[in-house]
Amino acid sequence: MSMFTFNIDTHSGVHIYTQIYQYIRHEIESGSLACHSKLPSTRGLAAHLQVSRNTVDMAYGQLMDEGYIEAMPKRGYFVCDIENLMPPIAAGAKTSDYKPEKKIPGSSPYVFSPYGVDLENFPFNTWRKIAKDILYNGQNTELFQAGPSCGDQDFREAIAGYLHQSRGVICSPDQIIVGAGADYLLILLSQLLDSDSIYAIEDPSYLQAYKTLTNLGKKTCPVPLDKNGMSIDSLRQSGADIAYVTPSHQFPLGIIMPIKRRLELLRWAYESERRYIIEDDYDSEFRYKGKPVPSLQGIDRHGRVIYAGTFSKAIAPSIRISYLVLPPGLLEKYRQRLSYLANTVARTEQKQMTEFIVRGYFERHLNRMRNIYKSKRDYILQQLAPYAGHIAVSGENSGLHMLLTFRDGRNAQDILLTAQKANIRLFDLSSYYIRPEHCTLPHTVILGYGALSESRLKTQLPLLCSALFGSRIA
Amino acid sequence: MSMFTFNIDTHSGVHIYTQIYQYIRHEIESGSLACHSKLPSTRGLAAHLQVSRNTVDMAYGQLMDEGYIEAMPKRGYFVCDIENLMPPIAAGAKTSDYKPEKKIPGSSPYVFSPYGVDLENFPFNTWRKIAKDILYNGQNTELFQAGPSCGDQDFREAIAGYLHQSRGVICSPDQIIVGAGADYLLILLSQLLDSDSIYAIEDPSYLQAYKTLTNLGKKTCPVPLDKNGMSIDSLRQSGADIAYVTPSHQFPLGIIMPIKRRLELLRWAYESERRYIIEDDYDSEFRYKGKPVPSLQGIDRHGRVIYAGTFSKAIAPSIRISYLVLPPGLLEKYRQRLSYLANTVARTEQKQMTEFIVRGYFERHLNRMRNIYKSKRDYILQQLAPYAGHIAVSGENSGLHMLLTFRDGRNAQDILLTAQKANIRLFDLSSYYIRPEHCTLPHTVILGYGALSESRLKTQLPLLCSALFGSRIA
């Protein structure tokens, strides 16, 4: 046993006990203090370093807690046997040199993206007013407590009311599960369905659900669409148990599933206890011709439709609030298996959205946005009208994008390149196929107009037309 | 073809076209209008009903869009063939009659829960001030756009800085993945690790991770603990690839894993490319004796430790913000497989937490809460001191709970019942075992003090002591 000799720096701002701790720890890690070697007594070291004995006690205590040294009753302190285990210490801390993520396409200047939404018209003042009310009302403490796993009661009531009125969804608030985004809720849902279920995915589709299910190790099968949506014959042939569909507005083709196909789909689901339909109603709020098409859930009479909705499209992409409406059988499973999970949406966010709905702002916002989007859509249709001989427009009656099919034989890649030269980005339909080689519409591209401001649309669309058609008029 | 006869109610507030649509739809659904039957022409019906032709066009358009009727060129409108498919309509909409969820234990009056945190001392004014600053600064629009999948850059920088300084974690901000809660992040993480990996779970443990992994269909195996934490021999025997551990403060036993065991664990991980350690550092902020024990991640030199942390314990349960620090190999996989996912934490929440950290409030809050919790802990230890002959206290130097072991042979169930009679709830250690029959501490119960206010603690703890020990003093 030797006495330590090192300089204590009383001006370093580092506690003296920390300095002692660090010195001894370093001596052990570097091998200078061999295992089983005895340390000075706390009294002896304190006297030697001219510090209080309590200071040395604290340093030894920390070293013991971390397992560097141990105390033997009546014998003193000894170095633990760790030297053979010490991993080699690298010269410098390894930091990764990954580049920051690429810029999100929707936020670039001339991207006609099918994803983004119009934030220029977001009612910031109203939103702020609600946020302020929530901040300054007396129930703050409650909102910081853990809330129910499925979401707050008043929020689920507000959602149920909205869904009933606007989407014809028939449910009680108890059937609603709130979560931070559609992907998360799909992960939960997959745990309620039979683990070996096969999921039929529309091809083409948004691909988000396909990726999430595949990453979870779930079996999926792409099912082609006909003009009425997912083909029932193909669905039957696929052997799938779960049909994931977007009946109100198929993404990206824009098909509205007619009542006959809806009923066929329900019949298919009713044939087996294992079968369910996931109705993804991602942007049903925006329909420009006629009334919104009521949900599939509303005509299901045997609890086989799981309705999935989100506020991200209707309000803002950063609002990570989505919800499921579970049929009673699955709700029971949720209660048993998953209600141990904390809800993933902050309660202040839930409260904010609740107030936005119940004070009537949400409906007003939807009506306003529907008019704004319709006005953009009408402008585009009007601008494209002279080129009707060259292109056919489809999927234009709902949602935030439309499809342009070129009759002149130009294929999508050429169109995208031509647009790119005018500094405009259009989107390739085939990139939404699970099996791009199954894309039967090689001359079709996607033009989204949600995120573009009306003024930008009015400067860019003529440039796009000019790039695509030159002086050609049908 | 017959002409429809029904009354249009011009005072009902329902659009006339909607009334026409609803009437015809009902006639089709009820079978009154047979399939393939021809509808009146729009001109004829308009004249018959004395409404504009445009109104009838709209009603027919909606019926076509939903697939109830179809137009045959030059022949007119016909009812589609759906009657055989129509499911029987139940008499009333089925609503579920589930009861609302049970009250959360942590919010009841005399629950000595190991989960809750002290919200009486939450810095609401500071929190509000930050929220207000964010609400009223000019960058709101940006915060409503979709952000990076892994979380906002400035937030990840703030977390990396905090982790480096307080926890000895060595990482760049790029390695951090932000998400809505530890469970969600564990779900993501499981998709980055080999899908057939076996997860070793400390037994006893919090069970949350165990449930989440089991629900995902992952193979798990409970591994017993010795006095230094997860037993390496048992870990080896288990055949596990992933070790899920709480080295800073084992839950619920309170073990601080000594450096030797940490190094053994790292050696174990270094033996195979498939092996990883998940370091769950859930409440490392609260240590009352000596310095915080540095993280296991900080001594890993080969990128085999995944560090998992959360703000729920340090701030409030409703703050659903957690994070992972991924080693470079897994980060690469995240980028390839999961970066398509939208981040699950609202950007305003991320910004709020960022400001709370970078303005120094978080550190101040932690220091303050550490003192408050220490004061509660000291009070409990002082109150229990007279009964040292009857009980042994352990795990009292960190976290928000301690263990009481009864030397007088009373078992946990009896203790819980006795406490219950005094209207106090303690927690059963065996309920934290995956295999409760492996609980080797039948006389031990858990006493949590995080959520109880100091004043309530001071009224309830003497009642508890009196119920447990009567007038007995050691």
Side-chain angles (χ1 to χ4, degrees), chain B residues 193-194 196-198 241-242 269 272-276 304:
Chain B
L193 301 168
D194 289 340
D196 59 347
S197 290
I198 301 173
D241 311 291
I242 314 291
S272 158
E273 283 295 309
R274 283 170 61 87
R275 290 186 182 164
Y276 281 95
R304 313 310 291 179

Side-chain angles (χ1 to χ4, degrees), chain A residues 39-223:
Chain A
L39 274 76
S41 71
T42 53
R43 185 200 305 260
L45 186 59
H48 176 71
L49 296 174
Q50 293 188 294
V51 299
S52 82
R53 188 167 164 192
N54 194 35
T55 301
V56 177
D57 276 343
M58 281 169 71
Y60 278 28
Q62 184 76 23
L63 289 163
M64 278 199 290
D65 284 347
E66 297 184 16
Y68 285 95
I69 66 172
E70 58 194 329
M72 307 267 198
K74 297 182 186 163
R75 290 189 52 213
Y77 297 93
F78 295 84
V79 175
C80 294
D81 177 13
I82 56 164
E83 57 186 341
N84 292 326
L85 285 161
M86 208 70 206
I89 300 203
K94 165 107 178 104
T95 57
S96 56
D97 47 10
Y98 289 96
K99 294 178 200 84
E101 294 209 343
K102 279 180 227 139
K103 206 155 181 274
I104 314 296
S107 62
S108 301
Y110 309 128
V111 180
F112 283 67
S113 162
Y115 306 123
V117 309
D118 189 321
L119 286 178
E120 282 208 346
N121 290 288
F122 185 80
F124 286 112
N125 287 337
T126 303
W127 196 258
R128 271 196 204 107
K129 190 189 165 324
I130 295 174
K132 213 174 138 194
D133 289 353
I134 294 171
L135 270 177
Y136 288 93
N137 92 357
Q139 304 174 340
N140 258 326
T141 318
E142 201 213 312
L143 288 182
F144 283 86
Q145 299 277 10
S149 169
C150 52
D152 283 353
Q153 178 71 18
D154 56 353
F155 187 32
R156 287 181 286 112
E157 280 170 13
I159 295 173
Y162 161 70
L163 288 179
H164 180 69
Q165 200 185 332
S166 299
R167 307 293 308 122
V169 170
I170 299 166
C171 71
S172 92
D174 293 332
Q175 289 172 260
I176 293 176
I177 310 291
V178 171
D183 299 306
Y184 173 66
L185 288 173
L186 182 58
I187 292 170
L188 295 194
L189 178 58
S190 73
Q191 297 177 25
L192 302 177
L193 301 169
D194 289 341
S195 62
D196 59 347
S197 290
I198 300 173
Y199 293 75
I201 311 283
E202 294 171 334
D203 198 23
S205 70
Y206 195 39
L207 296 188
Q208 196 87 355
Y210 170 72
K211 286 182 196 164
T212 296
L213 290 166
T214 308
N215 278 328
L216 287 169
K218 298 295 170 192
K219 274 173 262 170
T220 55
C221 54
V223 173

Side-chain angles (χ1 to χ4, degrees), chain B residues 15-33:
Chain B
H15 281 294
I16 294 173
Y17 100 84
T18 304
Q19 294 184 44
I20 299 172
Y21 155 79
Q22 283 171 342
Y23 174 80
I24 299 178
R25 177 177 156 177
H26 179 263
E27 293 293 288
I28 295 171
E29 287 184 348
S30 65
S32 308
L33 258 179

